[in-house]
Amino acid sequence: MTAVLSHGLSSGALAALFTVGIALAWRVVGLIDFHLPAVFVVAGYGTVSFQDLGLPLLPSAVLGVGVAAGYAALLFLLVHRPLLRRGANPDVVLIATLGLLAMAQATLGWVYGPVRRYPFSGVQTTVEVVGFRFSAADLAAIGLAILLIPALLTFLRRTSLGLSLEALSENRQLALVTGVNEPAAQVLTYALVAVFAGAAGVVSGVVAGVDPAIGVGPFLVAFGAVLVGGHQSLVRPVVAAVLLQVVVALISWQLPAQWDRTVLFTAIVATFLARRIVVRQVQRRRVMQLAAA
């Protein structure tokens, strides 16, 4: 039982990191970016590449995340930003991000080959914490989530740059009138998005290896958590990501391993539909109260 909960917590922390990136891009830029699995993978391959040059794992991981951040920011300037500036239909932008994902996967497959690469190939030690056993990668995922997510929230609420991003997410027109530099804020947003997606990609690579398509599954899980928790807040999707993974781990404990994805996406759909029903009921009550007043 404790092993199941340990797996749920570590998987939830990994999903939470990716979830923050997706929710941040949606909030500030207004973009559902299906290209983010490529950013997830670029960080993993970047880590492997720096290790091939002889660097240890930790510096390679930091540099790999940095490469992913630069890649995401540059691609935003070259592709996403021009489409958004011209007022492209959201469906067109969505299709463009899917096309970028396909191109990135093909390019990475051509450069690195189809064989899965592992940033860490040794035996991972396990540590017992309050009766739960975690691998080093599990602790890295949980530790990064505990450090990075509060740090981002503090940055958004306590710094001038962070407040400019919050202003864009709350009221874009008012933010522009007050002097917020939208292009710079959006590029910064995408760099932050890539840091979270890249951190998740590196930890995932240590556990499961890196290949061109490995980011799609974690993206769908994180995107489902954003749908459940909503993108208006960063805290609710993170809580949704952790709870979903813990609940799925507990349910999957009694089912064959091949049911994991089925259970996960069933839980996401059921929770999302329940949330929509609750939101509609609350809105209906507010309308009725206003009408009665």
Side-chain angles (χ1 to χ4, degrees), residues 142-289:
I142 295 171
L144 283 171
I146 291 173
L147 289 173
L148 291 180
I149 295 173
L152 176 65
L153 294 174
T154 302
F155 169 78
L156 292 174
R157 295 168 182 173
R158 299 292 179 87
T159 68
S160 58
L161 285 175
L163 289 172
S164 68
L165 301 188
E166 286 288 273
L168 279 175
S169 67
E170 295 292 337
N171 190 322
R172 178 176 175 271
Q173 295 300 326
L174 182 60
L176 295 178
V177 169
T178 56
V180 172
N181 187 334
E182 185 180 32
Q186 289 179 335
V187 171
L188 174 60
T189 298
Y190 252 76
L192 291 172
V193 167
V195 167
F196 281 86
V202 171
V203 177
S204 174
V206 171
V207 176
V210 185
D211 66 43
I214 200 169
V216 175
F219 173 83
L220 293 176
V221 173
F223 182 59
V226 175
L227 291 179
V228 169
H231 68 280
Q232 295 84 1
S233 165
L234 294 181
V235 176
R236 289 197 301 269
V238 166
V239 174
V242 176
L243 290 179
L244 280 170
Q245 291 287 29
V246 170
V247 170
V248 168
L250 290 172
I251 295 174
S252 300
W253 181 36
Q254 303 295 331
L255 296 173
Q258 60 266 29
W259 284 87
D260 285 0
R261 292 292 182 189
T262 302
V263 171
L264 175 62
F265 290 114
T266 301
I268 288 173
V269 171
T271 309
F272 175 65
L273 292 176
R275 179 177 178 272
R276 284 180 64 93
I277 292 172
V278 171
V279 170
R280 286 181 179 178
Q281 290 295 330
V282 171
Q283 291 175 341
R284 187 175 298 173
R285 287 180 183 177
R286 287 178 180 173
V287 170
M288 292 176 64
Q289 289 173 351

Side-chain angles (χ1 to χ4, degrees), residues 90-136:
D91 293 338
V92 173
V93 180
L94 182 65
I95 292 171
T97 63
L98 287 169
L100 288 173
L101 173 61
M103 290 175 60
Q105 288 177 336
T107 303
L108 291 169
W110 176 68
V111 173
Y112 290 97
V115 178
R116 184 168 291 191
R117 303 284 299 275
Y118 289 84
F120 181 80
S121 57
V123 177
Q124 292 193 45
T125 58
T126 58
V127 179
E128 185 170 338
V129 181
V130 199
F132 295 91
R133 298 198 68 84
F134 297 98
S135 69

